[in-house]
Amino acid sequence: EKTQQSVKDIILVFSDIDVKITALTECSAEDFLSLNNYLKKFYSDAKVISGQTEQIYDIIAGDQHTKFFEDLIGVQDSLNSRINMLKNKILKSIRGLEKMLTSLNLVFVPLKNFNLNILALNFLLVNLKLNVAYSDNKSLCGVAEKVDWITGEISRLKMILPKISESLLLVKNVTRLSSGKLIEIRKKNILDIDRVTGQINDSIILLKEKQTDAAKKMPELTKRTQSYFDSVNKIIMNLQYHDIIRQKMEHVQETHKNIIKELSAMNMKTDSDGKIDLSESAQQFLQIRDIAGVQVAQLINTNKEYQKAFAVIMRKFWDISEDMSVISQLSNEFVGDNDLTDSYYKDVQDRLRGTTTVL
């Protein structure tokens, strides 16, 4: 009876262990499922962060940036060439106007002399006409008519000369004003042009600095991105331990069920006198003890594997967080934080917009 009672107790112990193993299996499944869901979320968010950061770096240091950078330098070179042409044309125009002023000043001297000569000629014609009037020489009659005609032409010319002088003065004033205006335009344009070229040059320097900075930080970005993917792969690999652990637990449970069956059969087994063969029972108990010892060792080993897998997974989650933090920081260093006014792109944009306004 004591033996039968002991068998029943052992059966109850194994049944209780089986219940606990089932609970452990369910708990393990929930843990791994929770970690798997976190991994999906981490992977989704991290992939977006990593992808957008790579896009930022590609814009800053990639082919698009290189083309824009080259185009900007081309604009600067073309602008400098056209500016030099403009400066030369304005300078030639100013010199041409200065020569015109000099020539106009010289015109007034002969014009004045011409006016004096007309007065002298008119005086001579009057004397000639008087001499002809008092002369008895009939051959001079035609001369008087010619003198009258010349006198009339001189009168008309005298009326024109003031208009010529007035027009020359007007041309002179317009020339002087034009020269002054060109000098003013030249001064203003030189200031504006210097401002434009300065802003473009500053933009080129900013872009070059960022490109150089990006080239220096690209290895760190590549390293962190690779580290992130390595961590994800290791998490996935350790999450697969769930199936291995579950199989081991199920194997232990299956062994326990067999032991319970044997114990139940042993409990029902009696000899012809209704007594249990104690020697046979003792031998079976020893076998069960040995099997139970193996199962204990297997459960302890399974628990260690479980804890080790969890430790690796948690460590890799922290590694992913650290990698994403560094990647995010690398991005912020280029585009600024939430305030885009601190972004160097905004600075470049404002400078180039300012140049178009000036132009």
Side-chain angles (χ1 to χ4, degrees):
E1 290 178 0
K2 289 182 179 180
T3 301
Q4 289 179 335
Q5 185 61 40
S6 297
V7 170
K8 290 179 181 179
D9 291 339
I10 293 171
I11 290 172
L12 289 174
V13 170
F14 274 105
S15 298
D16 185 54
I17 292 173
D18 189 58
V19 171
K20 290 180 179 180
I21 289 176
T22 300
L24 285 172
T25 303
E26 292 175 354
C27 179
S28 172
E30 290 177 0
D31 289 342
F32 278 101
L33 179 61
S34 177
L35 286 172
N36 188 59
N37 291 334
Y38 274 114
L39 177 63
K40 289 180 180 178
K41 185 178 184 306
F42 265 58
Y43 182 79
S44 177
D45 293 344
K47 190 175 181 181
V48 170
I49 294 171
S50 178
Q52 291 180 346
T53 302
E54 287 179 357
Q55 287 181 6
I56 291 169
Y57 274 75
D58 184 59
I59 291 170
I60 295 169
D63 294 337
Q64 292 181 3
H65 172 89
T66 302
K67 185 178 183 305
F68 174 70
F69 188 72
E70 290 173 351
D71 289 345
L72 195 59
I73 292 176
V75 169
Q76 187 187 39
D77 292 340
S78 177
L79 187 60
N80 286 333
S81 176
R82 292 177 183 273
I83 285 167
N84 290 331
M85 289 175 59
L86 177 63
K87 287 180 178 179
N88 290 333
K89 286 185 177 182
I90 290 177
L91 185 60
K92 287 180 180 179
S93 298
I94 291 172
R95 288 175 179 174
L97 289 171
E98 289 174 349
K99 288 180 180 178
M100 188 183 294
L101 281 171
T102 302
S103 299
L104 285 171
N105 289 329
L106 293 174
V107 168
F108 281 98
V109 176
L111 186 62
K112 187 175 180 180
N113 291 335
F114 184 66
N115 194 36
L116 293 173
N117 291 336
I118 287 176
L119 291 174
L121 180 60
N122 193 40
F123 177 74
L124 292 173
L125 287 171
V126 171
N127 288 334
L128 179 60
K129 190 174 182 181
L130 289 173
N131 290 331
V132 169
Y134 290 106
S135 174
D136 293 332
N137 191 346
K138 301 215 183 229
S139 62
L140 295 176
C141 292
V143 173
E145 293 177 359
K146 291 180 180 180
V147 168
D148 289 336
W149 179 80
I150 292 172
T151 303
E153 292 298 319
I154 288 173
S155 297
R156 282 194 293 275
L157 187 58
K158 287 173 67 177
M159 293 176 63
I160 294 172
L161 284 175
K163 293 181 179 180
I164 293 174
S165 296
E166 184 180 345
S167 297
L168 286 173
L169 284 172
L170 181 61
V171 171
K172 184 178 178 181
N173 290 332
V174 170
T175 303
R176 186 183 292 108
L177 288 172
S178 298
S179 178
K181 187 66 176 177
L182 280 175
I183 292 171
E184 181 183 345
I185 290 172
R186 182 166 174 262
K187 289 180 179 178
K188 183 178 184 301
N189 273 275
I190 287 174
L191 292 174
D192 289 339
I193 287 165
D194 288 343
R195 178 179 157 204
V196 168
T197 54
Q199 287 179 337
I200 292 178
N201 189 59
D202 288 345
S203 299
I204 290 173
I205 292 172
L206 278 171
L207 291 171
K208 187 66 177 177
E209 286 176 351
K210 287 298 177 180
Q211 187 182 37
T212 303
D213 196 16
K216 290 180 180 178
K217 291 179 179 177
M218 277 298 289
E220 179 66 15
L221 175 64
T222 303
K223 174 185 173 184
R224 290 291 178 172
T225 303
Q226 185 59 47
S227 173
Y228 148 70
F229 282 114
D230 290 343
S231 296
V232 170
N233 290 333
K234 284 184 177 165
I235 289 174
I236 292 173
M237 184 176 68
N238 280 274
L239 284 174
Q240 292 172 352
Y241 273 107
H242 168 61
D243 291 332
I244 298 172
I245 292 170
R246 179 178 54 79
Q247 289 173 6
K248 289 183 177 181
M249 302 279 269
E250 288 176 352
H251 177 71
V252 171
Q253 282 184 304
E254 189 65 29
T255 303
H256 284 183
K257 288 178 182 178
N258 292 331
I259 291 174
I260 290 172
K261 285 181 181 178
E262 290 182 9
L263 287 171
S264 298
M266 186 177 66
N267 194 39
M268 298 295 296
K269 189 176 180 182
T270 58
D271 56 14
S272 57
D273 296 329
K275 295 181 179 180
I276 297 174
D277 187 347
L278 294 178
S279 60
E280 183 180 352
S281 297
Q283 186 176 1
Q284 288 181 334
F285 280 140
L286 289 174
Q287 290 177 349
I288 291 170
R289 182 197 64 183
D290 293 338
I291 293 171
V294 172
Q295 298 302 310
V296 168
Q298 188 170 353
L299 284 172
I300 291 172
N301 185 61
T302 302
N303 179 60
K304 288 180 180 179
E305 290 180 349
Y306 176 83
Q307 297 296 336
K308 183 179 178 182
F310 251 74
V312 171
I313 291 170
M314 297 308 295
R315 186 170 68 252
K316 290 305 169 183
F317 270 124
W318 280 111
D319 289 344
I320 289 176
S321 296
E322 183 181 352
D323 290 336
M324 287 301 103
S325 178
V326 172
I327 289 173
S328 178
Q329 180 60 35
L330 288 172
S331 301
N332 286 335
E333 288 176 3
F334 284 98
V335 299
D337 296 325
N338 293 329
D339 187 2
L340 290 179
T341 56
D342 293 335
S343 169
Y344 92 102
Y345 281 118
K346 186 70 164 55
D347 192 9
V348 172
Q349 185 182 35
D350 290 342
R351 288 176 184 276
L352 295 182
R353 184 183 289 113
T355 62
T356 58
T357 302
V358 174
L359 288 174

